[in-house]
Amino acid sequence: MRSSHRACGKTILLGEHWVVYGTTALAVPIESIETVVDVVPGETGLHIDVSEVHRTTAERVYSTALEGLKIPNMAADWAVRVQSTIPVGEGMGSSAALGCALIQALAKASNQSLSFEKLWERVLELETVVHGAPSGLDHTVIAHGSPIAFYGPQKYDVLHWPTDCSLLLASSGQPGSTREAVENVAKWREENSDHFEQLQRTMADVIESGVASFQRGELPALGQAMNESHAALQTLGVSLPILDRLVQCALDAGALGAKLTGAGLGGAVLALVPKHCITQVTEAFQQAGAERVIPVRQEQE
Ligand code: PMV
């Protein structure tokens, strides 16, 4: 059966890296970017209508997806086409979006109905191929398409967007490796165990009150939690000069908070922007060298 599925991008507002060690994280969907997978009967092969980097990931996960859904033989009669506008390696969930769209398109094409739990497990297998030991945060938020407070595998709350919450992403154009960043943080933790523990306790409080601020729509307090998160990620060694520059220019242009988002060592910066500063922050990002500015969610001015 012909089938098609889309999945959006995601960005982490609070808690990347700490979530790997059991702290809460807050992530939100990015509806303006997407990955679409089409399964077309009567042709064969895996066709990736996007960049080389997407191709490598898709080729690596395709056989795992077929095995997970127990459909290796039927695939001989299909072509699978992948299209995506999600940048790779910039913390926007490109692999999790591919996983969600691929698993759902393949399940439909093979007449399987998947519970949310089964979808979650199958996509986790693909995420493990790509990232090593993912927390599961990325594909949870993407599969739901709503903001998520994530406490651990399959433990999360689906949240509502607060009103007037405008978020802008500035892509640095420098892809980072999640696996490498997570390994670097693990090494830093081993070498600085007391400091790590102390910082984790502080960040657990910052993140908890940031999540509460998000739920209550208290945007200045949420911005403050984002700023403190960026400082802690700098301490863990996952920021880069370009990311620090993008954070500073957003704050100078009126953002309520700004931080690197995702694993770091490249990737993007996320800014919480009052409506009247959207143009200023967008221009500041561009002048500071952002490759692309992506609206995550934008209230009308
Ligand atoms: O894949 P990214 O760049 O969005 O980062 C994932 C977030 C980490 O906390 C660094 C890793 C994880 O698995 O949660």
Side-chain angles (χ1 to χ4, degrees), residues 65 68-69 103 114 117-126:
L69 293 167
I103 291 291
L114 279 185
E117 282 68 31
K118 284 280 172 251
L119 167 69
W120 198 93
E121 283 168 18
R122 295 287 83 83
V123 183
L124 182 67
E125 286 168 2
L126 310 193

Side-chain angles (χ1 to χ4, degrees), residues 24-39:
T24 299
L26 173 61
V28 298
I30 316 174
E31 283 297 339
S32 58
I33 51 178
E34 64 179 9
T35 294
V36 179
V37 174
D38 289 302
V39 178

Side-chain angles (χ1 to χ4, degrees), residues 20-288:
V20 174
Y21 301 95
T23 303
T24 299
L26 173 61
V28 298
I30 316 174
E31 283 297 339
S32 58
I33 51 178
E34 64 179 9
T35 294
V36 179
V37 174
D38 289 302
V39 178
V40 187
E43 297 176 26
T44 53
L46 176 63
H47 301 272
I48 320 290
D49 300 342
V50 279
S51 65
E52 258 326 291
V53 262
H54 279 100
R55 175 188 306 283
T56 312
T57 306
E59 284 173 353
R60 282 172 65 200
V61 301
Y62 185 48
S63 56
T64 308
L66 294 175
E67 276 163 33
L69 293 167
K70 301 191 173 45
I71 47 175
N73 298 331
M74 292 169 73
D77 303 326
W78 295 337
V80 171
R81 296 187 180 281
V82 180
Q83 288 175 298
S84 183
T85 54
I86 306 179
V88 174
E90 299 218 33
M92 297 181 212
S94 63
S95 64
L98 170 70
C100 285
L102 185 62
I103 291 291
Q104 288 179 96
L106 290 177
K108 191 166 165 218
S110 57
N111 286 316
Q112 299 184 44
S113 67
L114 279 185
S115 63
F116 188 84
E117 282 68 31
K118 284 280 172 251
L119 167 69
W120 198 93
E121 283 168 18
R122 295 287 83 83
V123 183
L124 182 67
E125 286 168 2
L126 310 193
E127 284 286 89
T128 303
V129 171
V130 182
H131 293 307
S135 64
L137 168 64
D138 282 22
H139 72 286
T140 301
V141 64
I142 288 170
H144 274 287
S146 301
I148 295 281
F150 182 88
Y151 315 114
Q154 308 238 29
K155 280 191 272 160
Y156 58 87
D157 285 321
V158 178
L159 309 180
H160 294 293
W161 280 103
T163 45
D164 287 339
C165 181
S166 294
L167 293 165
L168 288 179
L169 263 179
S171 150
S172 71
Q174 294 183 27
S177 154
T178 298
R179 190 189 282 257
E180 188 189 336
V182 169
E183 283 171 5
N184 285 6
V185 170
K187 191 153 175 274
W188 194 92
R189 176 179 181 243
E190 230 175 80
E191 289 164 1
N192 306 274
S193 55
D194 290 348
H195 192 173
F196 186 93
E197 258 178 48
Q198 185 203 342
L199 196 53
Q200 187 176 18
R201 274 197 298 275
T202 306
M203 288 317 296
D205 290 344
V206 167
I207 292 161
E208 196 184 316
S209 56
V211 172
S213 304
F214 181 88
Q215 287 174 288
R216 290 197 289 259
E218 293 168 0
L219 301 182
L222 175 61
Q224 184 56 33
M226 291 171 70
N227 293 339
E228 289 176 41
S229 296
H230 184 72
L233 291 165
Q234 282 176 315
T235 303
L236 294 183
V238 293
S239 193
L240 291 179
I242 173 73
L243 301 177
D244 294 340
R245 234 177 14 253
L246 290 167
V247 164
Q248 194 53 53
C249 81
L251 296 175
D252 292 345
L256 295 170
K259 60 182 276 290
L260 75 81
T261 179
L265 297 182
V269 158
L270 178 66
L272 176 63
V273 184
K275 273 189 269 190
H276 63 276
C277 294
I278 288 172
T279 307
Q280 291 94 303
V281 174
T282 303
E283 285 171 7
F285 273 152
Q286 284 160 345
Q287 279 161 19

